[in-house]
Amino acid sequence: MSSKDPKAVVVIGYDAVSPLGIDLSGQWRKAFLGARGIGELTSVPLTREFPVHIAGEVPPIDHLPYAFLKPREQARWPSPIYKYALLTVARALAGSRLEITREIAPRTAVTYSSAVGGLDAILLADRNIMGSGKLPAPCANPNACVNMVGGKVSILTGATGPIVSTVTACATGLTSIIMGALLLKQNRADVAICGAADFALVEPIVAGFATMNAAFVPPEGAPEEAPQRASRPFSVDRRGFVISEGAGCILLATREFARAHGLSGNLEVAGWSMTSDAHHFVSPNFETVRRCIVESIADAGIGPEEIDSVNAHATATRVGDKVEFDALHQVFGGRIPPITACKSLIGHAMGASSAIETIFGFRGMETDLLPPIINYTPDPVIDIDCPTENSRSLSQEFMLKNSFGFGGCNSCAVFKKT
């Protein structure tokens, strides 16, 4: 697709919070230096019997000067997904210099979403009923509505265009970008507020990932190691993902709109695909994963040889990482471009992970840097080219982003630097 196409979909702004911090510039500095965002799990009460003791936790933001962080507002919306989501949206808009006026609002779409939503609010209400008979607060049910994240974004910004909650499990963030781009290409909007927020560090969710052998649990009887070493995608000693939290906002617009309003747009959504495994509720399917990658590259109008980097899904599960590698190996004929796997740095933030990882990918494209895969020990059956511990200088015109979710929800996108 020509970069001069006025209908091309471009990125006009973005912002994220992650276990690496709440300031995006600071997070990026830590990412390209190979800093670790994983530590001891502190947000839930732990016992020796509780299976998970490490996590990627996001620093508090209540000290920041935003109206949605005031105590009265917090009392109504106690689930952290709301304040962190709204923070990323407010800062992305401020950074882009876009003001959603009454004229722009009807053509502004919202696809910002969440995979887990505000389940913590319902869990708290249930405990209060069982423990003391106290009835839920009026805000409990609205907090638990997955689509309410997009609703709150709409209220904050005044956007009155199409709104949809794109829930595709761990692929939610990237799917949100794809759906935003689709609405723009269909001329249903000029601007799309995309992204995802997830804060799933609550006891039954964390423990549930452990009992299904997805979350990292150290080998029984093995020497204790630093929490920062636990997230190791593609590594021979990978043992599952580290549960984390975070939020990311990506603002899209048509190039025509961006130019008319003096907005930057040097990154383009060049192509995408979504497929469904129709295979297993958590185990990925090689063929549909491979096809998703192939179709996204073809939709960008390029060949596999033109992809300069891969921002992998790579959760650090034994099966998932191998299937993704096998698909990439076949698509690229054994010549896979350099790969990064951001979950080594920040853990797995559920549906928000692909939004945050895509934003780190954008920074890499803009600065000609590929963040490292830390904690990496080569697996002889997964032959990849990746920086380790420190970033690599790499010019990237085209980046492939992969994201795969429970239920067989696959999303892949190609981004172009113009």
Side-chain angles (χ1 to χ4, degrees):
M1 181 183 295
S2 170
S3 62
K4 297 182 179 180
D5 179 4
K7 301 300 182 184
V9 176
V10 297
V11 179
I12 60 171
Y14 52 79
D15 187 74
V17 293
S18 78
L20 290 177
I22 59 174
D23 171 72
L24 184 56
S25 295
Q27 292 172 69
W28 175 243
R29 283 193 299 272
K30 291 179 180 179
F32 75 69
L33 291 173
R36 283 116 166 118
I38 309 302
E40 295 288 344
L41 176 59
T42 64
S43 57
V44 300
L46 298 178
T47 63
R48 178 174 293 185
E49 292 74 27
F50 196 77
V52 176
H53 287 254
I54 60 173
E57 298 179 329
V58 174
I61 59 172
D62 292 347
H63 62 286
L64 298 178
Y66 291 92
F68 49 78
L69 298 174
K70 301 304 180 188
R72 179 173 292 184
E73 186 69 8
Q74 288 295 287
R76 297 191 185 101
W77 300 98
S79 179
I81 61 171
Y82 296 103
K83 61 183 180 182
Y84 284 97
L86 297 181
L87 176 67
T88 62
V89 172
R91 295 197 308 196
L93 284 169
S96 72
R97 296 180 292 109
L98 172 64
E99 180 184 358
I100 301 178
T101 62
R102 292 180 62 181
E103 292 72 29
I104 294 172
R107 297 279 297 175
T108 300
V110 176
T111 64
Y112 203 115
S113 192
S114 174
V116 178
L119 286 179
D120 51 308
I122 287 295
L123 289 168
L124 178 60
D126 178 67
R127 288 172 180 171
N128 287 336
I129 290 176
M130 299 300 293
S132 64
K134 182 180 178 181
L135 293 178
C139 63
N141 285 357
N143 268 264
C145 291
V146 175
N147 70 296
M148 193 61 69
V149 179
K152 290 283 287 180
V153 170
S154 174
I155 293 168
L156 174 73
T157 61
T160 59
I163 183 169
V164 61
S165 185
T166 59
V167 184
T168 53
C170 304
T172 294
L174 187 59
T175 303
S176 171
I177 298 172
I178 291 171
M179 293 307 296
L182 184 61
L183 288 169
L184 298 182
K185 295 296 288 185
Q186 291 294 315
N187 195 31
R188 307 299 299 194
D190 298 318
V191 177
I193 304 172
C194 314
D198 270 312
F199 285 74
L201 293 178
V202 293
E203 295 98 315
I205 296 176
V206 172
F209 281 127
T211 57
M212 65 186 295
N213 295 321
F216 174 87
V217 175
E220 188 173 351
E224 187 173 343
E225 60 181 352
Q228 295 81 4
R229 279 271 309 139
S231 186
R232 35 193 188 240
F234 292 127
S235 188
V236 68
D237 57 350
R238 63 193 184 275
R239 288 188 58 83
F241 58 74
V242 173
I243 306 164
S244 70
E245 54 193 13
C249 174
I250 299 92
L251 302 177
L252 303 180
T254 61
R255 187 175 298 281
E256 182 177 49
F257 178 92
R259 286 173 174 168
H261 292 80
L263 307 174
S264 64
N266 63 334
L267 299 171
E268 181 181 316
V269 183
W272 60 270
S273 178
M274 294 188 291
T275 64
S276 178
D277 284 346
H279 170 66
H280 188 271
F281 64 97
V282 292
S283 183
N285 180 30
F286 165 80
E287 178 52 36
T288 42
V289 167
R290 182 203 65 82
R291 179 162 60 86
C292 195
I293 296 170
V294 168
E295 291 177 353
S296 67
I297 297 172
D299 191 49
I302 61 173
E305 70 281 358
E306 295 182 73
I307 296 293
D308 298 300
S309 67
V310 178
N311 190 302
H313 180 61
T315 62
T317 59
R318 298 211 65 81
V319 174
D321 286 11
K322 183 61 164 59
V323 169
E324 184 173 12
F325 165 76
D326 288 344
L328 289 168
H329 187 270
Q330 186 171 111
V331 170
F332 291 100
R335 295 181 295 277
I336 303 173
I339 291 181
T340 191
C342 297
K343 291 182 182 70
S344 67
L345 303 164
I346 61 173
H348 191 351
M350 308 296 106
S353 59
S354 56
I356 300 167
E357 292 160 10
T358 299
I359 289 169
F360 284 0
F362 291 162
R363 276 294 171 100
M365 296 176 78
E366 292 171 337
T367 58
D368 294 331
L369 289 170
L370 188 68
I373 301 179
I374 61 173
N375 305 324
Y376 176 70
T377 303
D379 185 333
V381 298
I382 297 181
D383 183 18
I384 60 173
D385 174 17
C386 66
T388 60
E389 304 309 322
N390 293 293
S391 292
R392 176 185 301 176
S393 294
L394 182 68
S395 177
Q396 302 161 70
E397 181 181 5
F398 290 101
M399 176 187 76
L400 169 67
K401 173 60 188 156
N402 294 337
S403 191
F404 315 121
F406 283 178
C409 304
N410 305 316
S411 293
C412 296
V414 173
F415 299 96
K416 179 181 180 181
K417 182 168 66 174
T418 60

